[in-house]
Amino acid sequence: MGVVNVTPDSFSDGGRWLAPESAVAHGLDLLADGADILDIGGESTRPGATRPLVAEELDRVIPVVTELARRGATVSVDTMRAEVAVAAVAAGATVVNDVSGGLADPDMLTAVARTGATYVAMHWRAHADHMRDFAVYDGPGGVVAAVREELAGRVAAALAAGIAPDRLVLDPGLGFAKRPEHNWELLRDLGPLRELGHPLLVGASRKSFLGRLLASGGSPRPVGEREHANTALTVLLAQQGVWGLRVHDVRAARDALSVVEQVLGPLTGEDDR
């Protein structure tokens, strides 16, 4: 899943692809590099980010979704708003990637169910401007048990709203209301999340916990210099059979996976929804 941020303030590449023509060109480049899905987002969810107006988000993403779908891309819309999700599906998107798992907008789950799109429900506790206040996992089983329990609740809500079981994907939400140690604990033990019975999407690309791992002299590695670490993680996750790998540098991920497949044989995800 190649990332196309149509935003002025995303942590990795905010502003680079804000103009629709730039975003479309970037999406086409990612397709040429081997992306299976293009994830188009018009709202930054970096820590501390403020939300755009609905009209702003629609203006950012719908022209890009429309053109990339017209060009034959499989398009995902990265949004927490039902109105944006419905408009994007009407414009050609087939996946709704909701980082709030339906908690930010009470109309999201029923709206997506009516469209028939695949729905990605991420683990989420609060909006970006104060999510750090919720990075506490001191119950039995720690962060893995908490994320499993809370995602199980989102599964139940999604199914109750009418989303088909074979159209539901789960995301552990690395970096969202989680400190670096929480992200590593989840990556070491995805098994309990698999037990929920739905494919997993994992988005670790360029996130701050990688920068802290690679810190030098007390300073985290800059965003643009974390790709090698993310590529290694991509290989490990692919070997575990996760459904989706959300990345910024599709070529690096594809090159690494090609090497692994040459040695070990074809890598297969959990299914092809």
mmCIF file of all heavy atoms in Angstrom, residues 202-244:
data_model
loop_
_atom_site.group_PDB
_atom_site.id
_atom_site.type_symbol
_atom_site.label_atom_id
_atom_site.label_comp_id
_atom_site.label_asym_id
_atom_site.label_seq_id
_atom_site.Cartn_x
_atom_site.Cartn_y
_atom_site.Cartn_z
ATOM 1 N N VAL A 202 -0.335 -3.187 8.436
ATOM 2 C CA VAL A 202 0.619 -2.579 9.365
ATOM 3 C C VAL A 202 1.278 -1.392 8.683
ATOM 4 O O VAL A 202 1.797 -1.512 7.565
ATOM 5 C CB VAL A 202 1.690 -3.590 9.822
ATOM 6 C CG1 VAL A 202 2.692 -2.902 10.742
ATOM 7 C CG2 VAL A 202 1.033 -4.764 10.531
ATOM 8 N N GLY A 203 1.273 -0.254 9.371
ATOM 9 C CA GLY A 203 1.899 0.955 8.862
ATOM 10 C C GLY A 203 2.973 1.444 9.811
ATOM 11 O O GLY A 203 2.669 2.097 10.809
ATOM 12 N N ALA A 204 4.213 1.122 9.524
ATOM 13 C CA ALA A 204 5.332 1.558 10.364
ATOM 14 C C ALA A 204 6.204 2.590 9.663
ATOM 15 O O ALA A 204 7.071 3.199 10.291
ATOM 16 C CB ALA A 204 6.197 0.359 10.743
ATOM 17 N N SER A 205 5.961 2.818 8.390
ATOM 18 C CA SER A 205 6.877 3.556 7.534
ATOM 19 C C SER A 205 7.253 4.928 8.085
ATOM 20 O O SER A 205 6.393 5.785 8.311
ATOM 21 C CB SER A 205 6.250 3.722 6.149
ATOM 22 O OG SER A 205 7.133 4.317 5.249
ATOM 23 N N ARG A 206 8.560 5.110 8.321
ATOM 24 C CA ARG A 206 9.165 6.387 8.701
ATOM 25 C C ARG A 206 8.696 6.928 10.049
ATOM 26 O O ARG A 206 8.960 8.087 10.368
ATOM 27 C CB ARG A 206 8.919 7.441 7.612
ATOM 28 C CG ARG A 206 9.514 7.072 6.261
ATOM 29 C CD ARG A 206 9.279 8.144 5.230
ATOM 30 N NE ARG A 206 9.855 7.749 3.935
ATOM 31 C CZ ARG A 206 9.704 8.439 2.811
ATOM 32 N NH1 ARG A 206 9.010 9.564 2.811
ATOM 33 N NH2 ARG A 206 10.252 8.023 1.687
ATOM 34 N N LYS A 207 8.019 6.136 10.856
ATOM 35 C CA LYS A 207 7.457 6.653 12.101
ATOM 36 C C LYS A 207 8.543 6.894 13.150
ATOM 37 O O LYS A 207 9.660 6.391 13.064
ATOM 38 C CB LYS A 207 6.371 5.714 12.615
ATOM 39 C CG LYS A 207 5.121 5.782 11.746
ATOM 40 C CD LYS A 207 3.942 5.016 12.305
ATOM 41 C CE LYS A 207 2.705 5.262 11.440
ATOM 42 N NZ LYS A 207 1.533 4.487 11.913
ATOM 43 N N SER A 208 8.176 7.688 14.153
ATOM 44 C CA SER A 208 9.175 8.196 15.100
ATOM 45 C C SER A 208 9.833 7.098 15.921
ATOM 46 O O SER A 208 10.973 7.248 16.360
ATOM 47 C CB SER A 208 8.531 9.227 16.027
ATOM 48 O OG SER A 208 7.491 8.668 16.786
ATOM 49 N N PHE A 209 9.164 5.972 16.144
ATOM 50 C CA PHE A 209 9.798 4.916 16.943
ATOM 51 C C PHE A 209 11.000 4.329 16.208
ATOM 52 O O PHE A 209 11.956 3.867 16.840
ATOM 53 C CB PHE A 209 8.796 3.846 17.363
ATOM 54 C CG PHE A 209 8.351 2.895 16.290
ATOM 55 C CD1 PHE A 209 8.894 1.623 16.206
ATOM 56 C CD2 PHE A 209 7.355 3.240 15.395
ATOM 57 C CE1 PHE A 209 8.479 0.720 15.242
ATOM 58 C CE2 PHE A 209 6.918 2.351 14.430
ATOM 59 C CZ PHE A 209 7.492 1.085 14.344
ATOM 60 N N LEU A 210 10.987 4.370 14.875
ATOM 61 C CA LEU A 210 12.167 3.961 14.117
ATOM 62 C C LEU A 210 13.272 5.003 14.255
ATOM 63 O O LEU A 210 14.449 4.666 14.387
ATOM 64 C CB LEU A 210 11.811 3.769 12.644
ATOM 65 C CG LEU A 210 10.831 2.635 12.315
ATOM 66 C CD1 LEU A 210 10.506 2.650 10.829
ATOM 67 C CD2 LEU A 210 11.388 1.286 12.735
ATOM 68 N N GLY A 211 12.888 6.263 14.228
ATOM 69 C CA GLY A 211 13.874 7.319 14.405
ATOM 70 C C GLY A 211 14.560 7.253 15.753
ATOM 71 O O GLY A 211 15.770 7.484 15.870
ATOM 72 N N ARG A 212 13.807 6.887 16.785
ATOM 73 C CA ARG A 212 14.398 6.781 18.118
ATOM 74 C C ARG A 212 15.308 5.565 18.224
ATOM 75 O O ARG A 212 16.346 5.605 18.889
ATOM 76 C CB ARG A 212 13.292 6.711 19.164
ATOM 77 C CG ARG A 212 12.484 7.997 19.241
ATOM 78 C CD ARG A 212 11.641 8.068 20.476
ATOM 79 N NE ARG A 212 10.869 9.299 20.478
ATOM 80 C CZ ARG A 212 10.390 9.863 21.570
ATOM 81 N NH1 ARG A 212 10.627 9.313 22.758
ATOM 82 N NH2 ARG A 212 9.688 10.973 21.504
ATOM 83 N N LEU A 213 14.933 4.488 17.571
ATOM 84 C CA LEU A 213 15.791 3.306 17.560
ATOM 85 C C LEU A 213 17.158 3.637 16.972
ATOM 86 O O LEU A 213 18.182 3.135 17.433
ATOM 87 C CB LEU A 213 15.118 2.194 16.742
ATOM 88 C CG LEU A 213 15.945 0.938 16.497
ATOM 89 C CD1 LEU A 213 16.099 0.137 17.787
ATOM 90 C CD2 LEU A 213 15.306 0.077 15.407
ATOM 91 N N LEU A 214 17.170 4.472 15.958
ATOM 92 C CA LEU A 214 18.382 4.791 15.214
ATOM 93 C C LEU A 214 19.030 6.097 15.678
ATOM 94 O O LEU A 214 19.856 6.669 14.968
ATOM 95 C CB LEU A 214 18.044 4.894 13.722
ATOM 96 C CG LEU A 214 17.358 3.664 13.115
ATOM 97 C CD1 LEU A 214 16.886 3.966 11.698
ATOM 98 C CD2 LEU A 214 18.277 2.455 13.133
ATOM 99 N N ALA A 215 18.655 6.559 16.858
ATOM 100 C CA ALA A 215 19.139 7.848 17.355
ATOM 101 C C ALA A 215 20.654 7.878 17.451
ATOM 102 O O ALA A 215 21.306 6.878 17.757
ATOM 103 C CB ALA A 215 18.530 8.143 18.719
ATOM 104 N N SER A 216 21.202 9.052 17.186
ATOM 105 C CA SER A 216 22.650 9.266 17.292
ATOM 106 C C SER A 216 22.893 10.524 18.104
ATOM 107 O O SER A 216 22.346 11.586 17.788
ATOM 108 C CB SER A 216 23.265 9.412 15.893
ATOM 109 O OG SER A 216 24.633 9.718 15.985
ATOM 110 N N GLY A 217 23.682 10.399 19.172
ATOM 111 C CA GLY A 217 23.957 11.552 20.007
ATOM 112 C C GLY A 217 22.739 12.096 20.698
ATOM 113 O O GLY A 217 22.678 13.293 20.998
ATOM 114 N N GLY A 218 21.748 11.240 20.926
ATOM 115 C CA GLY A 218 20.531 11.667 21.606
ATOM 116 C C GLY A 218 19.461 12.228 20.698
ATOM 117 O O GLY A 218 18.350 12.510 21.145
ATOM 118 N N SER A 219 19.767 12.385 19.419
ATOM 119 C CA SER A 219 18.797 12.932 18.467
ATOM 120 C C SER A 219 18.243 11.828 17.585
ATOM 121 O O SER A 219 19.014 11.052 17.001
ATOM 122 C CB SER A 219 19.453 13.997 17.582
ATOM 123 O OG SER A 219 19.922 15.078 18.361
ATOM 124 N N PRO A 220 16.903 11.723 17.470
ATOM 125 C CA PRO A 220 16.324 10.701 16.596
ATOM 126 C C PRO A 220 16.797 10.852 15.157
ATOM 127 O O PRO A 220 17.079 11.968 14.704
ATOM 128 C CB PRO A 220 14.814 10.969 16.702
ATOM 129 C CG PRO A 220 14.646 11.685 17.993
ATOM 130 C CD PRO A 220 15.885 12.520 18.155
ATOM 131 N N ARG A 221 16.904 9.757 14.454
ATOM 132 C CA ARG A 221 17.256 9.791 13.033
ATOM 133 C C ARG A 221 16.173 10.586 12.292
ATOM 134 O O ARG A 221 14.980 10.347 12.493
ATOM 135 C CB ARG A 221 17.307 8.351 12.502
ATOM 136 C CG ARG A 221 17.652 8.208 11.031
ATOM 137 C CD ARG A 221 19.128 8.379 10.745
ATOM 138 N NE ARG A 221 19.980 7.386 11.385
ATOM 139 C CZ ARG A 221 20.215 6.160 10.887
ATOM 140 N NH1 ARG A 221 19.639 5.768 9.761
ATOM 141 N NH2 ARG A 221 21.028 5.350 11.526
ATOM 142 N N PRO A 222 16.548 11.513 11.416
ATOM 143 C CA PRO A 222 15.547 12.291 10.678
ATOM 144 C C PRO A 222 14.609 11.410 9.860
ATOM 145 O O PRO A 222 14.967 10.292 9.448
ATOM 146 C CB PRO A 222 16.405 13.188 9.774
ATOM 147 C CG PRO A 222 17.717 13.284 10.465
ATOM 148 C CD PRO A 222 17.921 11.948 11.121
ATOM 149 N N VAL A 223 13.419 11.940 9.595
ATOM 150 C CA VAL A 223 12.380 11.180 8.894
ATOM 151 C C VAL A 223 12.891 10.589 7.589
ATOM 152 O O VAL A 223 12.628 9.425 7.273
ATOM 153 C CB VAL A 223 11.161 12.085 8.625
ATOM 154 C CG1 VAL A 223 10.172 11.403 7.686
ATOM 155 C CG2 VAL A 223 10.465 12.438 9.931
ATOM 156 N N GLY A 224 13.606 11.377 6.818
ATOM 157 C CA GLY A 224 14.055 10.921 5.511
ATOM 158 C C GLY A 224 15.175 9.907 5.541
ATOM 159 O O GLY A 224 15.591 9.424 4.482
ATOM 160 N N GLU A 225 15.657 9.560 6.741
ATOM 161 C CA GLU A 225 16.777 8.624 6.849
ATOM 162 C C GLU A 225 16.400 7.364 7.628
ATOM 163 O O GLU A 225 17.253 6.713 8.223
ATOM 164 C CB GLU A 225 17.956 9.328 7.526
ATOM 165 C CG GLU A 225 18.459 10.527 6.756
ATOM 166 C CD GLU A 225 19.577 11.272 7.473
ATOM 167 O OE1 GLU A 225 20.190 10.679 8.378
ATOM 168 O OE2 GLU A 225 19.817 12.447 7.140
ATOM 169 N N ARG A 226 15.135 7.007 7.592
ATOM 170 C CA ARG A 226 14.656 5.830 8.324
ATOM 171 C C ARG A 226 14.258 4.683 7.401
ATOM 172 O O ARG A 226 13.754 3.659 7.860
ATOM 173 C CB ARG A 226 13.442 6.221 9.188
ATOM 174 C CG ARG A 226 13.726 7.320 10.187
ATOM 175 C CD ARG A 226 12.442 7.824 10.858
ATOM 176 N NE ARG A 226 12.715 8.979 11.712
ATOM 177 C CZ ARG A 226 11.777 9.730 12.292
ATOM 178 N NH1 ARG A 226 10.501 9.439 12.097
ATOM 179 N NH2 ARG A 226 12.110 10.768 13.037
ATOM 180 N N GLU A 227 14.468 4.851 6.104
ATOM 181 C CA GLU A 227 13.907 3.892 5.155
ATOM 182 C C GLU A 227 14.545 2.514 5.253
ATOM 183 O O GLU A 227 13.854 1.494 5.089
ATOM 184 C CB GLU A 227 14.044 4.426 3.736
ATOM 185 C CG GLU A 227 13.092 3.764 2.751
ATOM 186 C CD GLU A 227 11.634 3.924 3.167
ATOM 187 O OE1 GLU A 227 11.197 5.059 3.396
ATOM 188 O OE2 GLU A 227 10.949 2.887 3.292
ATOM 189 N N HIS A 228 15.853 2.443 5.519
ATOM 190 C CA HIS A 228 16.488 1.127 5.609
ATOM 191 C C HIS A 228 15.879 0.303 6.740
ATOM 192 O O HIS A 228 15.615 -0.898 6.580
ATOM 193 C CB HIS A 228 17.996 1.276 5.829
ATOM 194 C CG HIS A 228 18.697 1.899 4.671
ATOM 195 N ND1 HIS A 228 19.899 2.545 4.798
ATOM 196 C CD2 HIS A 228 18.362 1.991 3.359
ATOM 197 C CE1 HIS A 228 20.282 2.997 3.618
ATOM 198 N NE2 HIS A 228 19.361 2.675 2.730
ATOM 199 N N ALA A 229 15.639 0.946 7.875
ATOM 200 C CA ALA A 229 15.035 0.236 9.010
ATOM 201 C C ALA A 229 13.626 -0.216 8.668
ATOM 202 O O ALA A 229 13.214 -1.339 8.992
ATOM 203 C CB ALA A 229 15.026 1.128 10.248
ATOM 204 N N ASN A 230 12.881 0.653 7.991
ATOM 205 C CA ASN A 230 11.516 0.272 7.635
ATOM 206 C C ASN A 230 11.492 -0.865 6.622
ATOM 207 O O ASN A 230 10.620 -1.733 6.673
ATOM 208 C CB ASN A 230 10.757 1.467 7.064
ATOM 209 C CG ASN A 230 9.305 1.135 6.805
ATOM 210 O OD1 ASN A 230 8.535 0.919 7.726
ATOM 211 N ND2 ASN A 230 8.929 1.060 5.548
ATOM 212 N N THR A 231 12.468 -0.879 5.714
ATOM 213 C CA THR A 231 12.531 -1.968 4.737
ATOM 214 C C THR A 231 12.781 -3.303 5.432
ATOM 215 O O THR A 231 12.182 -4.329 5.077
ATOM 216 C CB THR A 231 13.621 -1.681 3.698
ATOM 217 O OG1 THR A 231 13.323 -0.444 3.040
ATOM 218 C CG2 THR A 231 13.687 -2.786 2.659
ATOM 219 N N ALA A 232 13.661 -3.308 6.428
ATOM 220 C CA ALA A 232 13.902 -4.538 7.190
ATOM 221 C C ALA A 232 12.633 -5.002 7.878
ATOM 222 O O ALA A 232 12.297 -6.198 7.877
ATOM 223 C CB ALA A 232 15.005 -4.303 8.222
ATOM 224 N N LEU A 233 11.901 -4.053 8.450
ATOM 225 C CA LEU A 233 10.651 -4.405 9.128
ATOM 226 C C LEU A 233 9.615 -4.913 8.132
ATOM 227 O O LEU A 233 8.866 -5.859 8.411
ATOM 228 C CB LEU A 233 10.123 -3.187 9.886
ATOM 229 C CG LEU A 233 8.896 -3.394 10.762
ATOM 230 C CD1 LEU A 233 9.103 -4.520 11.758
ATOM 231 C CD2 LEU A 233 8.549 -2.086 11.492
ATOM 232 N N THR A 234 9.586 -4.310 6.955
ATOM 233 C CA THR A 234 8.666 -4.750 5.908
ATOM 234 C C THR A 234 8.897 -6.218 5.557
ATOM 235 O O THR A 234 7.949 -7.001 5.410
ATOM 236 C CB THR A 234 8.844 -3.873 4.650
ATOM 237 O OG1 THR A 234 8.447 -2.532 4.953
ATOM 238 C CG2 THR A 234 8.017 -4.392 3.484
ATOM 239 N N VAL A 235 10.159 -6.599 5.429
ATOM 240 C CA VAL A 235 10.479 -7.993 5.113
ATOM 241 C C VAL A 235 9.997 -8.921 6.223
ATOM 242 O O VAL A 235 9.378 -9.967 5.962
ATOM 243 C CB VAL A 235 11.991 -8.150 4.883
ATOM 244 C CG1 VAL A 235 12.383 -9.621 4.838
ATOM 245 C CG2 VAL A 235 12.412 -7.449 3.603
ATOM 246 N N LEU A 236 10.266 -8.556 7.468
ATOM 247 C CA LEU A 236 9.844 -9.397 8.588
ATOM 248 C C LEU A 236 8.326 -9.569 8.623
ATOM 249 O O LEU A 236 7.816 -10.675 8.845
ATOM 250 C CB LEU A 236 10.329 -8.788 9.904
ATOM 251 C CG LEU A 236 11.834 -8.818 10.143
ATOM 252 C CD1 LEU A 236 12.188 -7.988 11.371
ATOM 253 C CD2 LEU A 236 12.318 -10.253 10.312
ATOM 254 N N LEU A 237 7.610 -8.492 8.384
ATOM 255 C CA LEU A 237 6.145 -8.561 8.423
ATOM 256 C C LEU A 237 5.597 -9.364 7.249
ATOM 257 O O LEU A 237 4.644 -10.130 7.402
ATOM 258 C CB LEU A 237 5.562 -7.152 8.431
ATOM 259 C CG LEU A 237 5.830 -6.345 9.705
ATOM 260 C CD1 LEU A 237 5.431 -4.893 9.515
ATOM 261 C CD2 LEU A 237 5.081 -6.948 10.886
ATOM 262 N N ALA A 238 6.202 -9.196 6.078
ATOM 263 C CA ALA A 238 5.758 -9.969 4.917
ATOM 264 C C ALA A 238 5.967 -11.461 5.144
ATOM 265 O O ALA A 238 5.134 -12.290 4.751
ATOM 266 C CB ALA A 238 6.504 -9.515 3.668
ATOM 267 N N GLN A 239 7.062 -11.824 5.790
ATOM 268 C CA GLN A 239 7.316 -13.230 6.084
ATOM 269 C C GLN A 239 6.292 -13.796 7.059
ATOM 270 O O GLN A 239 6.065 -14.999 7.089
ATOM 271 C CB GLN A 239 8.731 -13.404 6.631
ATOM 272 C CG GLN A 239 9.823 -13.218 5.590
ATOM 273 C CD GLN A 239 11.210 -13.337 6.190
ATOM 274 O OE1 GLN A 239 11.620 -12.527 7.011
ATOM 275 N NE2 GLN A 239 11.928 -14.363 5.779
ATOM 276 N N GLN A 240 5.678 -12.919 7.845
ATOM 277 C CA GLN A 240 4.630 -13.358 8.757
ATOM 278 C C GLN A 240 3.263 -13.424 8.079
ATOM 279 O O GLN A 240 2.281 -13.821 8.701
ATOM 280 C CB GLN A 240 4.553 -12.408 9.958
ATOM 281 C CG GLN A 240 5.793 -12.427 10.834
ATOM 282 C CD GLN A 240 5.677 -11.446 11.987
ATOM 283 O OE1 GLN A 240 4.653 -11.361 12.650
ATOM 284 N NE2 GLN A 240 6.742 -10.684 12.221
ATOM 285 N N GLY A 241 3.202 -13.012 6.810
ATOM 286 C CA GLY A 241 1.957 -13.137 6.063
ATOM 287 C C GLY A 241 0.938 -12.052 6.315
ATOM 288 O O GLY A 241 -0.254 -12.267 6.090
ATOM 289 N N VAL A 242 1.365 -10.855 6.770
ATOM 290 C CA VAL A 242 0.378 -9.793 6.956
ATOM 291 C C VAL A 242 -0.242 -9.437 5.609
ATOM 292 O O VAL A 242 0.390 -9.563 4.561
ATOM 293 C CB VAL A 242 0.995 -8.544 7.619
ATOM 294 C CG1 VAL A 242 1.558 -8.871 8.983
ATOM 295 C CG2 VAL A 242 2.035 -7.894 6.738
ATOM 296 N N TRP A 243 -1.478 -8.975 5.650
ATOM 297 C CA TRP A 243 -2.224 -8.675 4.426
ATOM 298 C C TRP A 243 -1.673 -7.463 3.709
ATOM 299 O O TRP A 243 -1.547 -7.434 2.489
ATOM 300 C CB TRP A 243 -3.692 -8.454 4.772
ATOM 301 C CG TRP A 243 -4.531 -7.951 3.639
ATOM 302 C CD1 TRP A 243 -5.102 -8.696 2.645
ATOM 303 C CD2 TRP A 243 -4.908 -6.593 3.384
ATOM 304 N NE1 TRP A 243 -5.810 -7.879 1.780
ATOM 305 C CE2 TRP A 243 -5.708 -6.595 2.221
ATOM 306 C CE3 TRP A 243 -4.660 -5.379 4.029
ATOM 307 C CZ2 TRP A 243 -6.262 -5.424 1.694
ATOM 308 C CZ3 TRP A 243 -5.201 -4.219 3.504
ATOM 309 C CH2 TRP A 243 -5.992 -4.246 2.346
ATOM 310 N N GLY A 244 -1.354 -6.416 4.477
ATOM 311 C CA GLY A 244 -0.943 -5.171 3.853
ATOM 312 C C GLY A 244 0.209 -4.514 4.566
ATOM 313 O O GLY A 244 0.293 -4.543 5.802
#
